[in-house]
Amino acid sequence: TMRLPNLLVVLLAVMGFIGAIAAQVLDVAVVPLLSGALLGPSPIIVALVGALVCSLPALVLSVLMAAILKRPALGMGDVKLLGVIGVFLGAYGLLAFFVGSLLGAVHGVAVGSRTAGRQFPFGPALAAGAIIVTLFGQQMWGWYLSLLAV
């Protein structure tokens, strides 16, 4: 349907913030899903900043691409989903955005000739990127930093 239901996104966000509060109050590793999450020791701060760090660039990109292309390029459901991914992954959510974009590009190239000019849902690629980063994000980040010799 090319839509991410608001109810689903809101429920995921609520679950993420409940996990962050539980992690803060009970001192258990619930949310963020990756230790450290590149933003600090407080799970609530990681969740809040992660939501902003992931959704704001996507919102800016959406507005800019819509202005340039004269049609929507990145839906608001995708922007909200990236915010939720940021709640769960902190700044690693940006890595999920990158991985999801790569998956979306591969999909676009693979089926591009059959669907020229048609939109395709980006939410599943973002979700897959979030899963990949949840499983391998810290190793991916370490590999990337080793390329930079940092």
Side-chain angles (χ1 to χ4, degrees):
T1 63
M2 299 292 295
R3 298 189 54 82
L4 285 166
N6 283 331
L7 180 61
L8 174 65
V9 176
V10 168
L11 287 174
L12 287 170
V14 167
M15 288 172 43
F17 281 114
I18 288 172
I21 292 167
Q24 183 81 36
V25 172
L26 302 174
D27 197 29
V28 292
V30 181
V31 171
L33 296 175
L34 300 173
S35 62
L38 301 177
L39 292 173
S42 171
I44 295 171
I45 298 297
V46 170
L48 287 170
V49 175
L52 291 173
V53 163
C54 294
S55 62
L56 287 179
L59 178 62
V60 169
L61 181 65
S62 175
V63 170
L64 286 175
M65 292 305 294
I68 292 168
L69 298 174
K70 307 292 187 225
R71 63 180 173 81
L74 183 66
M76 287 301 111
D78 299 324
V79 173
K80 291 181 268 188
L81 180 60
L82 278 162
V84 170
I85 290 170
V87 169
F88 281 96
L89 297 179
Y92 281 105
L94 290 174
L95 184 57
F97 188 15
F98 177 74
V99 171
S101 297
L102 286 178
L103 294 172
V106 168
H107 175 314
V109 169
V111 299
S113 61
R114 292 180 279 151
T115 60
R118 289 183 48 210
Q119 295 177 328
F120 68 91
F122 188 43
L126 290 175
I131 292 168
I132 290 168
V133 169
T134 299
L135 297 173
F136 306 108
Q138 290 173 316
Q139 295 91 332
M140 293 166 73
W141 189 247
W143 172 77
Y144 176 71
L145 290 179
S146 73
L147 290 176
L148 299 174
V150 174

